[in-house]
Amino acid sequence: MLAVIGLSLSACETMNRMSAVQSVAVLDTSDTETARANIASLSEVIERNPNDPTAYNTRGAAYARIGAFREALADFGRAIELDPRYAPAHTNRGLANRQIGEEASALTDFNRALVADENYVPALIARANLLRVQGQSDRALADLNRALRLNPESAQALHSRGLVYQRMNNHREAVLDFDAAIARNPYVAAPYNARGQSLVARGEYEKAIEDFNASLNVSNNNADAWAWRGVALERSGDAQEAQTSYQRAIGIDSSNSVANEGLERVRRQASAGGGLFRR
């Protein structure tokens, strides 16, 4: 019952002018009825064990997965009241705080989790992800190196470190970490998407297209993957397929800047004769 909210590998740091949307807790609202039944069952556990912090932490994680963050925060807070040194609850509360935009509170929670247990890998990863988006790459890298010394097989830590290297424009190291993350868990879309972005930066467009296709095979409703697939196709010279990919991205997220700019660009080039896209 030591539940920790999933540290989502969909937390891709995007490059260039694309807005970085950091998803820090895995949300699953696809089957609300099942989720509510699960929460009801966990509530019965709490009724039988009202002083058990793990029970509150587990129910809090269930609330967070369906986006009920007010209830989740209350449960994590109760778990911490019962056991102030319970690192999973501090970490989960930090992740929930990130989801509602309370980054200062989130950082405090991650720090407290690591005071409670300096070797708690999920807290190291969570804090590193927050430090990365705050521009503190060196500190994020230190946390992730430590996490990987503690757990060399952590796909989440490898993916997160790849995102830090990507932010530092060290795409060689980023690709190596994404390779390792995929080798450990090939059924998650985000590392393919992230590796594809770094491959675009390296000019390896065909390999990037393969990665975006792999990402979309896992989850075909990802606007970022469609948008960056369009970039790779456009730069490889396939303007028509790039336009289709941009349109798919916009159909999912009309505000996606990479897709909107790419679509405008390929249409403008088509109107001008398409010379830019001739092989």
Side-chain angles (χ1 to χ4, degrees):
M1 295 197 49
L2 299 178
V4 177
I5 300 174
L7 300 174
S8 174
L9 292 185
S10 67
C12 254
E13 172 101 4
T14 54
M15 301 181 299
N16 298 336
R17 296 179 61 189
M18 190 169 179
S19 61
V21 178
Q22 301 299 325
S23 176
V24 297
V26 177
L27 302 184
D28 183 5
T29 58
S30 59
D31 191 344
T32 303
E33 185 176 343
T34 299
R36 292 295 178 186
N38 183 41
I39 289 168
S41 177
L42 291 168
S43 296
E44 292 176 3
V45 172
I46 288 173
E47 288 178 8
R48 295 193 300 269
N49 303 275
N51 295 316
D52 182 0
T54 64
Y56 285 98
N57 185 57
T58 303
R59 189 176 67 178
Y63 276 127
R65 289 192 182 98
I66 62 169
F69 295 112
R70 181 175 62 84
E71 293 86 349
L73 287 166
D75 273 356
F76 298 141
R78 180 57 180 154
I80 291 165
E81 288 176 8
L82 291 167
D83 183 357
R85 297 189 60 80
Y86 187 38
H90 284 292
T91 304
N92 277 339
R93 190 170 68 176
L95 291 167
N97 273 317
R98 277 206 67 191
Q99 280 282 17
I100 63 174
E102 296 290 341
E103 290 193 352
S105 295
L107 184 57
T108 296
D109 281 329
F110 300 145
N111 290 339
R112 287 176 176 168
L114 290 165
V115 168
D117 181 355
E118 64 181 1
N119 294 324
Y120 191 57
V121 170
L124 286 167
I125 298 172
R127 185 170 71 178
N129 286 335
L130 177 55
L131 292 171
R132 183 190 75 242
V133 300
Q134 292 180 338
Q136 300 185 61
S137 296
D138 289 341
R139 290 182 62 194
L141 198 57
D143 273 353
L144 292 165
N145 286 337
R146 183 174 161 199
L148 285 163
R149 285 194 296 270
L150 292 165
N151 182 5
E153 296 303 308
S154 172
Q156 292 173 339
L158 287 161
H159 178 263
S160 293
R161 191 173 68 175
L163 295 177
V164 176
Y165 282 132
Q166 191 177 78
R167 187 181 184 92
M168 299 169 73
N169 291 316
N170 186 346
H171 294 288
R172 178 183 178 278
E173 293 298 326
V175 168
L176 290 173
D177 273 347
F178 298 139
D179 287 346
I182 290 167
R184 285 157 177 78
N185 188 352
Y187 305 110
V188 176
Y192 293 105
N193 194 22
R195 187 172 67 180
Q197 292 179 25
S198 282
L199 289 170
V200 167
R202 288 163 59 93
E204 299 180 54
Y205 304 126
E206 296 302 324
K207 289 183 179 179
I209 293 166
E210 291 177 5
D211 269 352
F212 296 127
N213 287 341
S215 173
L216 290 163
N217 281 337
V218 176
S219 175
N220 70 354
N221 200 37
N222 187 320
D224 293 349
W226 283 111
W228 279 93
R229 180 177 181 270
V231 172
L233 286 162
E234 180 185 345
R235 294 188 184 179
S236 68
D238 191 344
Q240 183 173 355
E241 187 61 26
Q243 178 170 324
T244 299
S245 198
Y246 290 139
Q247 288 170 330
R248 287 292 299 269
I250 292 168
I252 297 166
D253 176 10
S254 62
S255 66
N256 189 289
S257 60
V258 168
N260 280 296
E261 291 169 14
L263 185 59
E264 181 180 352
R265 194 166 51 244
V266 295
R267 285 175 172 171
R268 185 170 60 248
Q269 291 299 325
S271 298
L276 183 64
F277 303 106
R278 292 173 183 159
R279 292 183 183 272

